[in-house]
Amino acid sequence: MTDKLYLTPDENFPEDLTGMADQELQVLDSQIQRQLDYEVASDGESNRETEFRHYEIDGEFQTRDDR
């Protein structure tokens, strides 16, 4: 996984989160959360792609918690 703090909507996002290790998913979640915070602070609203990515990660965490 990358050492970047943010993952912009233009950057690649994994198509399948199920194969990611928990730690990798947590890093990705942090990157997306920071991007959401940045978008809201700078633009007053979040990008739809970033929101979708956040939703996808939350869903994967829920699935893992349910196992």
Side-chain angles (χ1 to χ4, degrees):
M1 183 65 38
T2 182
D3 292 333
K4 292 181 58 176
L5 295 178
Y6 302 90
L7 188 68
T8 68
D10 296 329
E11 293 178 280
N12 289 335
F13 184 79
E15 289 186 32
D16 183 14
L17 300 175
T18 61
M20 295 182 79
D22 288 346
Q23 184 178 4
E24 290 177 316
L25 189 62
Q26 289 168 349
V27 169
L28 185 60
D29 183 50
S30 294
Q31 291 172 320
I32 296 298
Q33 187 59 56
R34 285 186 195 102
Q35 182 63 29
L36 278 171
D37 293 345
Y38 171 77
E39 290 169 2
V40 170
S42 65
D43 300 333
E45 62 185 11
S46 57
N47 182 288
R48 292 174 75 183
E49 180 65 21
T50 305
E51 285 183 24
F52 173 76
R53 291 173 174 191
H54 188 253
Y55 174 80
E56 287 292 306
I57 291 170
D58 283 350
E60 179 60 24
F61 277 129
Q62 186 62 50
T63 298
R64 292 179 186 202
D65 285 346
D66 291 345
R67 286 189 216 156

